[in-house]
């Protein structure tokens, strides 16, 4: 029970620490509303679960032993962030040309509303192409999997992975709901430009950081 409590505490700390997935969820809410944010959160959680399952089954070792594969995944993740950040910066730049009176892509206005699959895929790719997720599970899961019960190692690791994903989707879902509640305060063109510019610069900065680390 002590080990489980320690693992839950670690999951909680990770959940309340903003990361790449947090920025992408916030961007989705501001661009597409609550539903888009929640779908992005589910995508992020799905990507995280893929990493967890890969580690639990021992597949991550292949990735970590191949420098070329590691670099390819890292660069793919950086590209996703740069594209999302670039789109936000472009939206900030072109905002003055948009009519006032609401957010572009506001549900019901028919302008730029994202397709159903797009937010989920963006969230999925954000975590799926983030090698740090694999490194996290490689470093953490073995500490909580009993070495004296090798036959139960995979089920226990998968259970811990599921707990991590549950924390992730809960935290990101609450973030999406919270941002949506204050979204009505951010309807002006000036506020919208500031949001897009800040999030765009953050995502581009994270992308550059991931690519150069």
């Amino acid at each position: 029970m002590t080990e489980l409590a320690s693992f839950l505490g670690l999951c909680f700390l990770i959940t309340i620490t903003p990361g790449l997935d947090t920025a992408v969820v916030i961007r989705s809410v501001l661009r597409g509303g609550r539903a888009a944010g929640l779908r992005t959160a589910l995508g992020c959680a799905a990507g995280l679960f893929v990493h967890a399952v890969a580690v639990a089954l021992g597949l991550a070792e292949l990735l970590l032993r191949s420098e070329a594969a590691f670099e390819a995944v890292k660069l793919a993740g950086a590209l996703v962030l740069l594209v999302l950040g670039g789109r936000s910066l472009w939206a900030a730049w072109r905002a003055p040309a948009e009519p006032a009176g609401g957010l572009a892509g506001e549900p019901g206005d028919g302008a730029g509303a994202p397709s159903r699959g797009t937010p989920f895929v963006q969230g999925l790719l954000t975590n799926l192409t983030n090698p740090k997720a694999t490194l996290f599970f490689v470093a953490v899961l073995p500490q909580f999997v009993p070495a004296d019960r090798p036959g139960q190692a995979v089920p226990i690791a998968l259970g811990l992975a599921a707990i991590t994903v549950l924390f992730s989707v809960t935290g990101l879902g609450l973030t999406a709901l919270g941002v949506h509640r204050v979204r009505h305060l951010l309807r002006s063109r000036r506020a919208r430009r500031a949001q897009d510019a800040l999030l765009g610069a953050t995502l581009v900065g994270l992308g550059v950081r991931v690519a150069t680390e």
Side-chain angles (χ1 to χ4, degrees):
M1 289 298 295
T2 302
E3 291 185 352
L4 178 59
S6 299
F7 184 78
L8 293 176
L10 178 61
C11 289
F12 176 75
L13 290 176
I14 293 172
T15 300
I16 64 175
T17 302
L20 307 180
D21 44 10
T22 306
V24 173
V25 168
I26 292 175
R27 177 187 180 278
S28 288
V29 175
L30 295 178
R31 297 295 294 171
R34 177 176 55 193
L38 291 175
R39 289 199 296 269
T40 303
L42 288 174
C44 290
L48 194 64
F49 189 66
V50 170
H51 284 283
V53 171
V55 172
L57 299 179
L59 299 178
E61 184 177 355
L62 297 177
L63 174 64
L64 297 177
R65 287 187 175 183
S66 172
E67 183 177 352
F70 184 88
E71 288 298 320
V73 172
K74 183 173 74 172
L75 291 177
L79 179 61
V80 170
L81 293 172
L82 290 172
V83 169
L84 293 177
R87 290 179 62 183
S88 288
L89 291 175
W90 172 252
W93 181 81
R94 66 187 290 267
E98 296 174 355
L103 291 171
E106 184 81 2
D109 66 4
S115 63
R116 283 190 174 273
T118 299
F120 179 86
V121 172
Q122 289 179 351
L124 176 67
L125 291 177
T126 297
N127 272 347
L128 197 60
T129 59
N130 182 8
K132 287 186 177 180
T134 295
L135 293 175
F136 166 78
F137 285 114
V138 167
V140 172
L141 288 186
Q143 300 181 34
F144 296 94
V145 175
D148 57 342
R149 288 182 285 170
Q152 301 179 26
V154 170
I156 292 176
L158 289 175
L160 295 175
I163 292 174
T164 305
V165 173
L166 181 61
F167 267 87
S168 174
V169 73
T170 301
L172 293 175
L174 290 176
T175 297
L177 294 176
V179 173
H180 179 76
R181 287 183 65 86
V182 300
R183 188 171 176 240
H184 66 282
L185 302 175
L186 307 172
R187 290 182 180 274
S188 71
R189 252 187 286 182
R190 181 175 299 179
R192 177 59 183 277
R193 289 190 68 187
Q195 297 160 27
D196 284 329
L198 179 60
L199 285 173
T202 299
L203 290 171
V204 169
L206 290 171
V208 171
R209 180 178 176 182
V210 170
T212 56
E213 281 185 342

